[in-house]
Amino acid sequence: MDKMVNIFLFGKKYEVPDNLTIMCAMEYAGYQLVRGCGCRNGFCGACATIYRIKGDRELKVCLACQTKVENDMYIATLPFFPLIKQVYDIENIKPEQQIMMQLYPEIYACIGCNACTKSCTQKLNVMQYIAYAQRGDFKSCAEESFDCVMCGVCSSRCPAGISHPQVAMLARRLNGKYLAPKSEHLESRVAEIKDGTYDELIEALMGKTIEEMKELYNHRDIEK
Amino acid sequence: MYSAEFQKSLHEVEAAREANIAYEPARMSAEDKERLLEAYHPDYKKTEFEKLQFGPNKGDVVPRELCEILQAHSRITADQIDLNDVRYDVDVLIIGGGGAGASAAIEADRAGASTMIVTKLRIGDANTMMAEGGIQAADKPNDSPAIHFLDAFGGGHFAAKRELLAKLVCDAPEAIQWLNELGVEFDKTSDGTMITTHGGGTSRKRMHAAKDYSGAEIMRTLRDEVLNRGINVVDFTAAIELILDDKGNAAGAVLMNMETKELMVARAKTVIIATGGAGRMHYQGFPTSNHYGATADGLVLGYRVGAKLLYADTLQYHPTGAAYPSQIFGALVTEKVRSLGAKLVNSEGRVFMHPLETRDVAAASIIRECSDRDKGIDTGNGKAVWLDTPMIERIGGEGTIERRIPAMMRMFANYGIDIRKEPILVYPTLHYQNGGLDINADGMTPNVENLFVAGEAVGGIHGRNRLMGNSLLDIIVFGRNAGKNAAAKSRNIEMGMLTLDHIAAFDAEREKAGVKTSAVSPRLLPDYTNRHERT
Ligand SMILES: Cc1cc2nc3c(=O)[nH]c(=O)nc-3n(C[C@H](O)[C@H](O)[C@H](O)COP(=O)(O)OP(=O)(O)OC[C@H]3O[C@@H](n4cnc5c(N)ncnc54)[C@H](O)[C@@H]3O)c2cc1C
Ligand code: FES
């Protein structure tokens, strides 16, 4: 038998087994989730949740699909937060500081309270990546923010109204497109294919019998 | 930290680690594999399959749970819907906001078509977001599209539709380039060379990755681009029935707001089904790695209007689902863990197979270890085997795990397991729908005009088993392809009158076949309320 704990979903008390995640505990309690549930595995950021353990001053945040229930946990989900997403044409912007000033000027109003970092469900150094973005150091911003699931909790805690995940998104795209080194082998392969270099080889495979294909497959050499 | 009952076996694993790192297990012969699959792979368990009694695939067998929803009643009757009350009117209607849907939308929009995505949850709440391992493309000098073709064709048991597979492998490098130019951050060395690894069944190292957030990195970039383009994304809205015109061509869909249950009509010159997989159907009671909305809806929508399924009887059970702790039961442990050198080890500390056999073979082999051979470890949720992750640090150097598979490290760290120091427990999990709706190389179904399909909802690209990394690839290649072709097609379409007559026709067929059922479909979401027994 599982040990049972008391939790409070939006203030209402339920008794649930202590080995459940918050998400499964809500279902156990009878909620059919529509919002606040996407991948169920820590990748999509749909299940941002705020909680407080009774008697504890600290307000905690987490992903409901990744966090076990505890006794006397007061839980409120945050299935949506109004982030600001600026639109831009990736082909016509440059990886320069200017673009941040233009699209997300509020990042320069950061007061350094570090509430974003403290609240990150992925334990990222959010304030640091915003600092990189301020400086136009998109490579560092991209690296520091890479594991972001865009749940939006950081932004819900920000007194300056910054939409951190969207800032990081822009930095990563700039880095991926403009700053990271180009792959020459990729470009030459694309060109070869366009030139029809492999047409004959592929054509030959299209015409072979299953027996012939098996023969080729079972004796192909495998790179170490 | 593992509790006492695991310690004995854990010691055996640790004691054997050095020897196991050095040990290179033989690969199985073709005959060995065949025998193993027949005896242990879930696809071969006849009692779990049922014959379809009517519809386009009458006579074919499919998983029991799928059979039920394919033959089920519609959620609506035609007289409930006023087809003149058109809420959305577009050139290209895309059903599903995963990678295939987003790629299709970007290309359709670029081609100038008015484009809309409807999706059941939010855009990006999808299997695409969860892909960890990577995406294949033959772009290295020692590789070629032809070698890629052979790997995939053999890995798929020589059953792939060759014209689809040829397109997949030949368009692969361009797909990577397209993503890179949208800003996807692939792992590269300082001179720009893509860092590529093996996946199960590959003969060249052609797996491109963005750490172990490959799918998330691709999905969030595509989503950002969809939003930048101002494409209409209607979220928390499911397609529950396709609409045809009086010529029998696809012409839109009935939509349902998931929260308010309001029904709406979307009219479209072309429709693209990009609804993804079926893990949440829990075939044969397996846990799943899939997102919450993976309930095979697209197969149901297509089947009811006459689109044919191909290989709907083959599912992919990923060999390494997390088996412990119970909170992450079924969650994926990426194949990259094995690509980086971790081996599968049984309760006695013995390596029992080559770590990079194809997925079906690896899954069957683990099931054998845990059943007839009785060399599994009891987890409380059934049996499991070890995946010896500390080997990775020994082989690749300290820090390899954190650098290359941070998501894995985080997932287990949440429950107090440090995968750099301790191995993990794994068992197969329902992962991927190999089969799906049949398409031609242009992405359109052969039997329903103007109905396109892309992504995991398609059958035939991979044959009867898909290699790791070929699915992220197919959603980009065939997503873009469907988007372009649907947009082009929509330019010369004279739409007839909208109808939902197919619903009654399908009911009549069911009646005639003597099938009695109270089931309705598509399922939309699994019901997990009360799933954990209240005792
Ligand atoms: C955990 C995991 C790891 C993986 N790792 C890899 C990997 O490393 N490499 C690789 O190549 N592949 C991998 N795969 C497989 C690959 O990610 C998927 O097959 C692929 O992303 C599917 O893309 P899709 O766009 O077809 O479907 P999805 O991305 O699942 O998108 C489908 C969308 O349709 C929506 N939808 C469904 N039904 C309806 C409806 N009725 N109405 C409206 N919307 C609907 C869904 O909510 C969802 O948004 C992995 C899969 C999983 C689950
Ligand atoms: S549901 Fe996706 S992160 Fe929790």
Side-chain angles (χ1 to χ4, degrees), chain A residues 23 36-48 63-66 149:
Chain A
M23 181 172 283
C37 178
C39 68
R40 302 180 73 95
N41 198 23
F43 286 95
C44 76
C47 63
L63 296 174
C65 68
Q66 297 293 295
V149 295

Side-chain angles (χ1 to χ4, degrees), chain A residues 152-210:
Chain A
V153 171
C154 49
S155 305
S156 76
R157 310 287 286 152
C158 179
I162 298 171
S163 290
H164 316 67
Q166 297 295 359
V167 172
M169 186 71 235
L170 172 59
R172 283 193 304 271
R173 288 189 69 180
L174 288 170
N175 189 48
K177 181 174 173 67
Y178 293 109
L179 302 174
K182 294 263 166 289
S183 299
E184 272 168 39
H185 62 89
L186 174 63
E187 283 167 23
S188 50
R189 181 57 47 84
V190 172
E192 280 173 5
I193 291 172
K194 287 219 170 96
D195 291 346
T197 313
Y198 299 97
D199 290 358
E200 238 172 79
L201 277 170
I202 294 285
E203 213 35 63
L205 290 174
M206 300 291 282
K208 289 208 180 341
T209 64
I210 297 288

Side-chain angles (χ1 to χ4, degrees), chain B residues 97-310:
Chain B
S103 303
I106 293 168
E107 290 295 355
D109 179 69
R110 180 176 290 176
S114 74
T115 303
M116 158 178 167
I117 297 178
V118 286
T119 194
K120 198 159 57 172
L121 300 164
R122 307 173 309 169
I123 179 173
D125 294 347
N127 282 1
T128 305
M129 192 60 103
M130 310 176 73
E132 299 163 16
I135 174 167
Q136 288 199 39
D139 60 8
K140 290 289 178 75
N142 72 344
D143 201 358
S144 82
I147 304 177
H148 190 175
F149 186 107
L150 192 59
D151 283 349
F153 196 64
H157 303 291
F158 308 93
K161 274 177 92 166
R162 292 192 211 194
E163 68 271 28
L164 300 184
L165 185 52
K167 182 159 188 59
L168 182 80
V169 298
C170 292
D171 288 1
E174 201 206 323
I176 301 288
Q177 191 179 46
W178 184 72
L179 290 171
N180 201 171
E181 281 173 8
L182 284 171
V184 169
E185 301 190 278
F186 289 104
D187 296 342
K188 295 177 182 177
T189 61
S190 55
D191 69 354
T193 306
M194 294 279 180
I195 298 176
T196 52
T197 53
H198 270 305
T202 57
S203 69
R204 294 292 183 279
K205 294 182 179 169
R206 73 169 76 85
M207 194 71 58
H208 302 60
K211 302 194 184 170
D212 60 349
Y213 283 96
S214 304
E217 169 63 3
I218 289 172
M219 187 70 238
R220 65 197 179 189
T221 305
L222 294 176
R223 173 174 61 195
D224 197 58
E225 182 64 14
V226 165
L227 298 176
N228 278 351
R229 288 177 167 272
I231 295 166
N232 190 12
V233 179
V234 182
D235 57 9
F236 293 107
T237 301
I240 59 166
E241 198 63 54
L242 293 180
I243 299 172
L244 301 180
D245 70 5
D246 50 15
K247 295 174 231 160
N249 301 342
V254 176
L255 311 180
M256 184 180 85
N257 181 318
M258 294 290 285
E259 295 184 306
T260 65
K261 310 289 180 222
E262 183 191 7
L263 299 176
M264 295 156 283
V265 171
R267 178 166 61 189
K269 294 188 175 133
T270 54
V271 177
I272 303 177
I273 293 180
T275 49
R280 295 285 157 188
M281 295 299 296
H282 295 291
Y283 298 137
Q284 302 190 28
F286 271 85
T288 184
S289 62
N290 287 191
H291 87 289
Y292 190 42
T295 48
D297 296 357
L299 275 48
V300 172
L301 298 176
Y303 195 74
R304 269 218 281 268
V305 297
K308 241 183 130 134
L309 301 169
L310 191 58

